[in-house]
Every structure is written in C-alpha cells, then in structure tokens.
Amino acid sequence: MTQKRDILRDMGLHKRNERADIRGKAESEFMYSYQARIRYSELDESGHLKPEALLDYFQDCSTFQSEDLGVGIEYLREKNMVWVLSSWQIIVDRYPLLGEVVTVGTQPYEFKGFMGFRNFVMEDASGKRIACANALFSLINIETAGPMRPTEEMLEKYVLGEKIDMEYAPRKIRIPDGEVKGEEVLIRPHHLDTNHHVNNGQYVRIAIDSLQKDCHISQLRAEYKKQVRLHEVLTPYIVRTEKGGYVVDLRNQENETCCIVEIEENGENA
C-alpha cells in the first residue's frame, strides 16, 4: 500500500491532505489534485491553452479521483451507472502557455439526490489560481436512462469540501431572441468519448468554431440537455447577448436543443 501511494505521489495523481502551503498545491485541504505540463497539441493559434483543453484538464481530474478511489469507470459499468455532466461554469483569469507546469484540483462539495456538485481549479507554478469552475453531474441508470442515487460506498469515498470562492452563475442559460443559423456539423468518431456520444469538450469546440472568429473567453457556461451520437448532425444557432458575448444553441436534426453554450470575452488571453 505504501509503495502504491509513493508511485501515485510521483505521478502527481493523489489527494492533497495538507493545506496548500507549498508551491504547486491546490488551494483546498480537501482537494484532489495532479500536476501537468501544457503541451503543444493543446495550444490555440495564439500559443495559449485552448478553452476545451482546459475543460478536459478539469474533467480528467475528477476522473482520476474516481479511479483512484475505486469508484471509476469499471465500478460504474458493473453497476449500470454513469455520471452525466449537466452543466459547466468555467471562469478564466488567463490561459497558460506552452510548457507551463500547472496544478489541477477538484473536490465534490454536495450530493443532492441523484446530483453531484463539484468545484475545479487550475493553478500556476507559484500557486496562483488561473482558472476555476463549478459543475453539476447527474447519476443515470444505463438500462432505464432514469436517475439514481449514489451508492453508500461512493458517498463514503467522496469526501466533501467547502465550495470555493467564485462568482456562481445559474445553471440554466437563457437564450435571447434573434438567433442566426450557423453551419451544420456532422458528428464523426473524433467527437465521441467512451460512452459513445459527443464528448463535453467537443460541444464547446463546435460552439466556438461556429462563431468563426478568435475568442478570448473569460467565462464559459454550458448546459447539456440531450446526448448526440455518431453520424448525427448538430446545427448551431447563434445570438449576441446584452453583455456583448454569445449564446450558441446546438440543435439536432429534430430541432431539439442538445447543448447551450454561453461565451463571455475579455479581449485578451494572458
């Protein structure tokens, strides 16, 4: 057991039990975290981390925690369960550059029925927060497609922490009037994840691409409503907000809303 813990520590995939008092640690004593280095393949044209890559870092962090606790993908599959993301809110102070060492952390802070609430942070090498997020997940029975409560084992292993300090937005995203239809997107294999539907980050990428402009996103919100699978078609409907941002309504061939993405800009990446 000691050897396994040492290996996980060396990999940076471990739960932080001490308060963040040294370089590179996540900010909460309850926060699970890992360290990573920003890769060239994750950069946009400006040389900064892509928004959907930031989302992937956060999503990977919660996945690593679940795997290390023994309640990950195989555990869920055996019990015919899956965590489905219902909403994201990501606030970005800046996007890191190639080669930067970052610490990514997460902690669940509440379970309510079949819903689980999580915070995420990304910090730079000095321990300064550069991005944070709030997410809502729903636990779904694969066979019935109905909601189900977490098992006692899951509730015992996920140690709850306090909500982090951030400006929390509503989960629901309002779609203003005046939508303009964008270009259709055919769903291909690279859009999918292990659940055989469009990955959460891919919805965001499709929404950003539909704007056909450089986006310097300071806040991103996403509300997921319906799964989309291989060879289906998503059509973006785009509208400007009163704050000068965008809301992108991604609809399927039946004109059903599958995901709504709201983008706020700050005019610069760094």
Side-chain angles (χ1 to χ4, degrees):
M1 184 67 181
T2 301
Q3 183 180 11
K4 179 180 178 182
R5 185 166 57 248
D6 291 342
I7 292 173
L8 291 176
R9 180 179 295 111
D10 291 340
M11 293 174 61
L13 308 178
H14 63 283
K15 181 178 172 182
R16 304 291 192 186
N17 290 314
E18 301 87 11
R19 186 166 295 279
D21 55 0
I22 67 172
R23 183 168 172 165
K25 283 192 175 182
E27 61 184 36
S28 168
E29 62 181 321
F30 295 108
M31 190 162 281
Y32 175 98
S33 66
Y34 74 99
Q35 286 190 330
R37 193 175 184 191
I38 303 302
R39 301 167 178 84
Y40 181 80
S41 58
E42 300 167 333
L43 305 181
D44 61 16
E45 289 183 296
S46 73
H48 295 81
L49 184 70
K50 297 175 184 177
E52 70 270 23
L54 173 61
L55 187 153
D56 287 341
Y57 272 108
F58 286 157
Q59 185 167 264
D60 286 345
C61 191
S62 59
T63 300
F64 288 153
Q65 182 186 33
S66 296
E67 291 296 321
D68 288 354
L69 292 175
V71 288
I73 293 175
E74 287 303 319
Y75 176 89
L76 295 172
R77 184 177 290 125
E78 290 173 359
K79 297 187 177 299
N80 291 315
M81 300 185 298
V82 62
W83 283 108
V84 176
L85 187 61
S86 297
S87 67
W88 271 114
Q89 179 196 0
I90 301 176
I91 298 174
V92 184
D93 292 329
R94 72 173 182 90
Y95 292 90
L97 295 162
L98 173 66
E100 279 199 59
V101 175
V102 295
T103 299
V104 187
T106 186
Q107 65 184 21
Y109 63 83
E110 183 180 7
F111 287 106
K112 185 182 296 183
F114 63 92
M115 298 183 295
F117 298 81
R118 271 186 179 273
N119 282 139
F120 299 82
V121 297
M122 177 180 281
E123 297 173 350
D124 63 19
S126 69
K128 182 178 180 181
R129 183 197 291 184
I130 57 179
C132 62
N134 185 50
L136 168 62
F137 293 82
S138 298
L139 189 60
I140 302 299
N141 184 298
I142 296 174
E143 294 181 345
T144 67
M148 59 189 306
R149 292 177 177 271
T151 65
E152 289 298 322
E153 183 177 7
M154 294 165 73
L155 293 174
E156 179 180 340
K157 289 191 173 184
Y158 286 123
V159 178
L160 300 183
E162 297 294 327
K163 293 173 68 172
I164 66 171
D165 181 20
M166 62 176 282
E167 187 174 340
Y168 290 85
R171 179 173 66 88
K172 296 288 186 179
I173 300 174
R174 186 181 69 84
I175 303 175
D177 295 330
E179 292 178 317
V180 176
K181 183 178 179 180
E183 295 182 6
E184 295 180 349
V185 176
L186 175 65
I187 300 304
R188 300 185 183 276
H190 73 268
H191 291 113
L192 308 181
D193 59 22
T194 58
N195 294 315
H196 310 295
H197 54 68
V198 175
N199 179 267
N200 303 317
Q202 290 293 330
Y203 286 107
V204 171
R205 182 72 262 168
I206 291 170
I208 294 173
D209 286 347
S210 73
L211 302 180
Q212 298 185 357
K213 67 182 290 290
D214 291 333
C215 291
H216 307 293
I217 301 172
S218 59
Q219 178 171 276
L220 185 146
R221 296 168 62 206
E223 181 184 350
Y224 300 92
K225 290 179 169 289
K226 191 175 181 63
Q227 296 178 0
V228 179
R229 300 184 182 275
L230 186 64
H231 299 146
E232 293 187 43
V233 173
L234 277 178
T235 302
Y237 289 82
I238 308 155
V239 61
R240 293 299 298 266
T241 66
E242 294 178 354
K243 295 181 179 180
Y246 298 87
V247 170
V248 181
D249 179 4
L250 297 172
R251 303 180 195 168
N252 62 17
Q253 291 158 288
E254 286 71 44
N255 202 37
E256 300 170 316
T257 293
C258 299
C259 181
I260 306 170
V261 178
E262 181 188 69
I263 294 168
E264 294 183 11
E265 297 186 273
N266 63 1
E268 58 182 359
N269 271 323

